[in-house]
Amino acid sequence: MSDMTCKLLIIGAGPGGYICGIRAGQLGIDAIVVDEQKPGGTCLNVGCIPSKAMIHAAEEFHKLTHYNGTSPLGITAASPAIDLSATVDWKDGIVSRLNAGVAGLLKKSGTRLISGRATFQDGKTVKVTTGDTSITIRAEQVVIATGSAPAELPFLPFGGKVIGSSEALALRSVPEKLVVVGGGYIGLEIGTAYAKLGSRVTVVEAAERILPQYDSALTRPVLKSLQGLGMEVHLATKAKGLGDKGLLVEAPDGAEREIAADKVLVTVGRRPRSDSANITSLGLATNGAFLRVDDRCRTSMQGVYAIGDVTGEPMLAHRAMAQGEMVAEIVAGHPRSWDKRCIPAVCFTDPEIVTCGLSPEEAKAQGAPVTTGQFPFSANGRAMTMEAEDGFVRVVARKEDGLILGLQAVGQGVSELSAAFAIAIEMGARADDIGAVIHAHPTQSEGLQEACLAALGHALHI
Ligand code: FAD
Ligand code: NAD
């Protein structure tokens, strides 16, 4: 292939890069997306989609094992079994279908997808290498969407017994003893799945709480559920290295002990791939390890944008997608800038946690008086019919006029409330607006209406 030129070159076909490519194509921009892996990035290949598939399979299996004992529902199921290899094949099938879907959407938009490793020659020139061949692409503007990779602990390098999330989502048999280092998003989502599949799971978390970015009211039902599943959770405990039988840890009292493990899953965060593609040679301004961008995702070099995980927290697929769409529109000449009021976040534990906008503490820290309203699922008919009474919906509103500043929930299946939460905040709803909307009965979404009514002082069902 001879050298190429284009108006917009996007490095990385993860959620940020492929959405940028699709939108650019729709807008008639001559664009190329380059990726060394299958399209879809971390999220599709080894992240969001595979993890949710495995969580679903684990939940289905766990239901059957639960029904194997005594169920108040009057259901019994005999001797459930799981062939994890078949489960992984099923998950891989979903990933393949979506890989083809992303490639098809790029093609339909008119954007070219090139497979290969990108290396910057200068701010507008990139060499793309596939096997022994390489081409040079010259672009008017470039988007860096190189994403992130699992962070490694120097004393627990990946390999052998020590695995990262990608390997954990591809195991062909259920480990008898799994130790998870890091009780954050990934550790708890995957750890819970393995506990439901029958592993003896121990979580080692350095902080005083699991999911330390959330307030304790939100994480308490999750901790209770982990313990109900028989998972051991060691808080304020530091991983120290690998011993003969498993993981060496330092307990809160300073004592060292060993936790037996067949696999040690390390999930202590992700590092931005700001060192990929020879990016460092461009000398771009950084924010810690992340590339620094402004409210239009412009880096410190003219004509070079950056989006997604490589630009900072929250490292979420939908943030990367929203940035990708915005940058394509900016390149097309639209007057766009980052104007979002909130980025919803969902932790797919059991129960799930969803947060959007400001927590009560964050709102208070901003100075203006706030009011909160909370509605427990124990008072929600739908939750009772689903054996899902643990958890609540909480609203944080400005005291002065009831403007909704934040919404949070913990409970079974509350991820689906995230859209209602984000719409309420983006559209500037007040607690009385949501309180006045007819919510279908019986649904968990009535918890949102009731939390808003509670903030106004007149919840109907508590
Ligand atoms: P990425 O998806 O990381 O894509 C970057 C792409 O760039 C990759 O395909 C890579 O191959 C390519 N690339 C890098 N360097 C080069 C180079 N030099 N040449 C060519 N190509 C290159 N987020 C959610 O919102 N919801 C979830 O439920 C969720 N679950 C997750 C579960 C797990 C186990 C993990 C690991 C992550 C999860 N995330 C989730 C986070 C989500 O995956 C990321 O936020 C998202 O993928 C970031 O998108 P991105 O486009 O910035 O980068
Ligand atoms: P995380 O930041 O959520 O959690 C890492 C945890 O590891 C923290 O609780 C931290 O205190 C702990 N830790 C750090 N060093 C430790 C040590 N030496 N010993 C014991 N504990 C230690 O990171 P993650 O779970 O790896 O996830 C990375 C990112 O991926 C998340 O920030 C999130 O943006 C994204 N993600 C999102 C979803 C989702 O949206 N549902 C799911 C998975 C991942």
Side-chain angles (χ1 to χ4, degrees), residues 20-21 25 27 106 115 163 170 175 211 234 278 292 314 347 360 364 399:
C20 189
L27 291 163
L106 281 165
S115 177
I163 57 173
L211 295 164
H234 297 275
N278 197 25
R292 188 188 299 167
C347 187
K364 276 175 208 149
K399 200 164 199 149

Side-chain angles (χ1 to χ4, degrees), residues 63 121 203 452:
K63 264 186 216 159
Q121 308 297 293
V203 177
C452 290

Side-chain angles (χ1 to χ4, degrees), residues 42 47-48 51-52 55 148-151 153 155-156 165 180-190 203-214 234 236-240 247 249 266-271 309 312-318 344-349 353:
T42 303
C48 325
S51 61
K52 270 76 239 181
I55 287 169
S148 64
L153 290 172
F155 48 85
L156 275 177
S165 54
V180 178
V181 181
Y185 274 88
I186 302 181
L188 294 188
E189 287 187 4
I190 299 180
V203 177
V204 173
E205 166 57 53
E208 304 274 330
R209 290 195 288 115
I210 53 163
L211 295 164
Q213 68 271 49
Y214 296 128
H234 297 275
T237 302
K238 289 190 203 97
K240 298 300 268 182
L247 183 75
V249 297
V266 177
T267 53
V268 292
R270 292 181 61 82
R271 60 166 186 84
D309 283 8
E313 298 280 358
M315 289 199 247
L316 296 173
H318 40 282
V346 175
C347 187
F348 291 84
T349 38
I353 295 176

Side-chain angles (χ1 to χ4, degrees), residues 107-358:
K107 192 170 178 199
K108 184 175 156 213
S109 76
T111 290
R112 287 167 285 174
L113 174 64
I114 294 182
S115 177
R117 168 171 278 263
T119 313
F120 275 103
Q121 308 297 293
D122 61 44
K124 300 287 151 57
T125 316
V126 170
K127 190 163 99 179
V128 178
T129 309
T130 320
D132 293 338
T133 55
S134 60
I135 55 160
T136 301
I137 303 178
R138 285 191 185 77
E140 289 172 33
Q141 310 199 54
V142 180
V143 179
I144 299 172
T146 47
S148 64
E152 200 168 24
L153 290 172
F155 48 85
L156 275 177
F158 293 124
K161 225 181 226 195
V162 183
I163 57 173
S165 54
S166 304
E167 295 77 30
L169 293 168
L171 292 179
R172 294 275 160 180
S173 60
V174 178
E176 202 183 309
K177 293 180 267 313
L178 175 69
V179 175
V180 178
V181 181
Y185 274 88
I186 302 181
L188 294 188
E189 287 187 4
I190 299 180
T192 302
Y194 274 104
K196 289 183 175 180
L197 290 171
S199 293
R200 218 162 78 215
V201 178
T202 307
V203 177
V204 173
E205 166 57 53
E208 304 274 330
R209 290 195 288 115
I210 53 163
L211 295 164
Q213 68 271 49
Y214 296 128
D215 60 74
S216 54
L218 285 170
T219 57
R220 209 170 295 124
V222 177
L223 182 62
K224 186 178 147 203
S225 154
L226 300 181
Q227 288 163 340
L229 284 167
M231 291 167 71
E232 259 184 55
V233 181
H234 297 275
L235 300 172
T237 302
K238 289 190 203 97
K240 298 300 268 182
L242 214 51
D244 294 339
K245 296 198 186 94
L247 183 75
L248 298 172
V249 297
E250 186 188 312
D253 62 1
E256 194 168 286
R257 54 177 292 226
E258 188 167 358
I259 305 173
D262 301 311
K263 296 280 179 202
V264 176
L265 168 60
V266 177
T267 53
V268 292
R270 292 181 61 82
R271 60 166 186 84
R273 293 186 69 189
S274 49
D275 54 354
S276 182
N278 197 25
I279 293 169
T280 35
S281 72
L282 303 181
L284 301 176
T286 54
N287 194 358
F290 298 107
L291 296 182
R292 188 188 299 167
V293 291
D294 66 7
D295 63 351
R296 290 174 195 182
C297 287
R298 292 179 296 199
T299 66
S300 56
M301 183 180 275
Q302 200 173 355
V304 179
Y305 298 83
I307 58 175
D309 283 8
V310 77
T311 64
E313 298 280 358
M315 289 199 247
L316 296 173
H318 40 282
R319 168 177 172 270
M321 292 190 210
Q323 289 179 323
E325 186 197 32
M326 178 185 78
V327 167
E329 296 190 354
I330 290 170
V331 171
H334 296 197
R336 287 288 315 272
S337 62
W338 189 257
D339 57 358
K340 309 297 180 198
R341 290 189 184 194
C342 65
I343 303 171
V346 175
C347 187
F348 291 84
T349 38
D350 178 13
E352 295 172 342
I353 295 176
V354 50
T355 58
C356 201
L358 303 180

